[in-house]
Amino acid sequence: MNFLSMWEATANERTNFPKLEGDHECDVVIIGGGYSGLSTSYHLQSKNCQTIVLEKERIGSGASGRNGGEVLTGYLGTMQEWANKYGIETAKEMWQLSLDSIDLIEGIIEKHHISCDFIRNGDFYAAYKPSHLESMKKEQEFMARELGYEEITIIEKDSLNTELHTDFYHGGRVDKKSAHFHPLNYALGLAEAAVQLDGRIFEYSEAVRVERQDNRVIVHTSNGRVLANEIVIVTNAYSGDLHQTIKHAVVPVESIMISTEPLTEELMNDLIPNNRAIADSKNLLYYFRRTGDHRLAFGGSGRAASMHGLKRMYDDLHTGMLNVFPQLKSAPIEYRWGGKVGFTKDMLPYIGQLEDGTYFAFGYGGHGAAMASMLGKVIANAIINDGEMNNPLKVEKLKPIPFHSQHAKAVGLIKFYKKFQDFVS
């Protein structure tokens, strides 16, 4: 079974960045070569602040190069829920931040001519049950009334084929501001943009230890060191033992994807007529979309402990794809791959600065394709402005998630329960 990421297989030609050797100095050292780290570097370099990015493997090896490429507005949960929890003014700030995030990405892509199939045709949130559609209608009313946002359209069941050629769903809603792209090509383009501004990137250069000395930070790798004034750790769901406070505040959850071979443009126009990013309202959701070369990329939850279990997991996802689009029963699956999604206790992204001076951002919960670039910019601005950070997602102190060491078992139980909820709801 081929487990190569389709994004890797179809990526633009990439730069092979060197491995760190010897001692290097900079203003800010950034751990993590995904969207957050690359955006932090890019925005700092634009202010003549010298950065070094250390990546454990290759640029985009984590979630930034393996996700579904759905650049979505909003967050996990509804804005009405977040308004009830944090107040309407904070909800307005959160929503505007999500819109600004997509504008930021679009601007970077246009400015640097990044070839990543960026399409801003909106997203379609498909209703798995009739009751889910009714909830979407209430959210649409709330968004228009309280947030002044009128870009959401409800699609009834009898009009579903205007968005998806399927009988699997009961309608849904369109948000016109969302987008989708080739996620790895965007990461590679963002890296090149940072380098064009004289940022330095090192691959296969895992940070193994951090120490502080004379108001400076020293990051050790296996073959060298970086001496800097500030440190940013943005490793998200791939956070290891480098910083225990960050590690214990994020839970990694496995997500898997499959993609077909290239299909005809005519067929793809029939399946997803408006070329939107798609996700559904199941607790264990499906998310899928057309790619630039006319494949269907289809994703969902995944967790397996053996090769046999892994095969069954991908077979189940393929079955799910055929439940949505039975007309693809003869379409071969060419690629299968997976990765980790980072979740926080609050189910919102976290950003801030720890007492030891470390800047951080993580826990995007499936919305990192949109939000991570923005939070990299927020960190860069905070560093330029001596730590000042006015942001609705800022947390003052990271608290460890209870029983963090048992998260793998807990996630398995939660997924079983969520699957049961999808069945009975």
Side-chain angles (χ1 to χ4, degrees):
M1 182 178 286
N2 182 5
F3 293 117
L4 176 66
S5 160
M6 181 264 293
W7 307 121
E8 185 70 51
T10 60
N12 299 333
E13 184 177 355
R14 66 155 76 218
T15 299
N16 294 314
F17 294 106
K19 184 175 182 178
L20 184 82
E21 294 184 353
D23 285 358
H24 298 259
E25 294 192 34
C26 63
D27 296 316
V28 182
V29 58
I30 300 163
I31 314 301
Y35 300 146
S36 303
L38 296 171
S39 176
T40 303
S41 173
Y42 171 78
H43 286 99
L44 284 172
Q45 291 293 151
S46 70
K47 301 293 186 180
N48 295 315
C49 182
Q50 297 304 304
T51 65
I52 287 177
V53 175
L54 298 178
E55 166 55 41
K56 179 181 178 180
E57 295 184 17
R58 304 194 77 191
I59 293 301
S61 291
S64 294
R66 309 180 71 80
N67 66 80
E70 300 197 357
V71 189
L72 306 177
T73 61
Y75 307 82
L76 282 174
T78 67
M79 291 312 299
Q80 188 165 5
E81 291 169 343
W82 296 122
N84 290 339
K85 185 170 184 179
Y86 296 116
I88 191 66
E89 292 306 316
T90 297
K92 287 179 179 179
E93 291 180 18
M94 290 171 60
W95 183 252
Q96 189 60 51
L97 184 68
S98 87
L99 297 179
D100 293 344
S101 297
I102 305 176
D103 290 343
L104 174 68
I105 291 167
E106 187 171 23
I108 291 172
I109 290 170
E110 291 178 354
K111 181 176 181 178
H112 296 280
H113 308 290
I114 298 174
S115 177
C116 61
D117 299 323
F118 181 84
I119 300 290
R120 198 165 188 180
N121 284 355
D123 76 277
F124 181 67
Y125 188 34
Y128 181 57
K129 298 287 180 69
S131 61
H132 298 177
L133 183 63
E134 294 307 308
S135 296
M136 292 177 192
K137 291 178 181 179
K138 293 178 181 178
E139 178 72 357
Q140 179 203 32
E141 294 170 359
F142 171 82
M143 294 294 292
R145 182 181 67 252
E146 301 295 339
L147 301 190
Y149 187 72
E150 298 183 348
E151 301 294 332
I152 295 174
T153 304
I154 296 296
I155 306 297
E156 300 285 353
K157 170 73 171 178
D158 59 6
S159 299
L160 178 61
N161 281 0
T162 62
E163 293 294 334
L164 296 176
H165 193 169
T166 180
D167 295 323
F168 190 72
Y169 298 113
H170 294 265
R173 70 103 183 101
V174 172
D175 187 324
K176 298 176 184 177
K177 290 294 187 178
S178 297
H180 60 76
F181 60 14
H182 188 300
L184 180 55
N185 280 343
Y186 171 66
L188 299 179
L190 187 56
E192 291 296 336
V195 170
Q196 287 170 11
L197 294 172
D198 295 326
R200 287 174 284 170
I201 296 174
F202 294 93
E203 294 181 320
Y204 299 114
S205 301
E206 180 180 6
V208 295
R209 182 165 59 90
V210 176
E211 63 176 312
R212 292 184 177 273
Q213 193 175 96
D214 299 328
N215 294 320
R216 300 203 77 191
V217 62
I218 304 172
V219 178
H220 298 259
T221 70
S222 60
N223 291 315
R225 302 187 308 168
V226 177
L227 287 75
N229 298 322
E230 304 284 357
I231 182 171
V232 178
I233 299 181
V234 278
T235 45
N236 197 28
Y238 292 82
S239 298
D241 294 326
L242 182 67
H243 200 295
Q244 292 296 313
T245 301
I246 293 175
K247 175 184 177 180
H248 288 99
V250 60
V251 170
V253 176
E254 296 291 335
S255 186
I256 60 171
M257 294 197 74
I258 56 177
S259 80
T260 64
E261 292 183 346
L263 306 173
T264 66
E265 186 174 2
E266 180 182 19
L267 175 57
M268 295 311 297
N269 286 336
D270 180 61
L271 296 179
I272 308 176
N274 299 308
N275 197 7
R276 306 194 203 276
I278 316 292
D280 70 22
S281 61
K282 296 197 312 304
N283 286 292
L284 293 181
L285 83 164
Y286 295 143
Y287 55 94
F288 50 94
R289 46 163 291 219
R290 294 162 53 172
T291 67
D293 55 354
H294 308 307
R295 304 171 190 269
L296 182 72
F298 195 93
S301 304
R303 179 173 174 268
S306 65
M307 185 57 71
H308 175 73
L310 196 61
K311 182 180 185 306
R312 185 176 65 248
M313 188 172 65
Y314 282 104
D315 287 345
D316 288 346
L317 185 61
H318 187 198
T319 298
M321 185 189 84
L322 296 181
N323 287 336
V324 177
F325 293 125
Q327 55 270 55
L328 293 180
K329 62 182 178 181
S330 61
I333 300 300
E334 186 170 8
Y335 297 105
R336 303 163 181 84
W337 71 100
K340 298 176 182 178
V341 182
F343 290 84
T344 67
K345 182 180 179 181
D346 295 323
M347 297 296 176
L348 282 175
Y350 285 169
I351 185 171
Q353 185 179 21
L354 297 173
E355 291 181 0
D356 66 7
T358 302
Y359 288 90
F360 63 86
F362 60 82
Y364 300 109
H367 285 255
M371 189 59 63
S373 295
M374 173 57 77
L375 294 196
K377 179 181 179 180
V378 172
I379 289 175
N381 288 340
I383 292 172
I384 295 295
N385 294 304
D386 297 323
E388 183 179 341
M389 186 186 297
N390 182 18
N391 189 278
L393 301 178
K394 181 183 177 182
V395 293
E396 297 298 334
K397 186 175 182 180
L398 288 182
K399 298 179 180 179
I401 296 174
F403 308 106
H404 184 273
S405 62
Q406 302 299 314
H407 69 76
K409 293 180 181 178
V411 168
L413 290 172
I414 290 170
K415 286 187 174 181
F416 179 81
Y417 174 65
K418 293 295 185 182
K419 187 174 183 179
F420 176 73
Q421 281 186 312
D422 285 334
F423 178 73
V424 301
S425 66

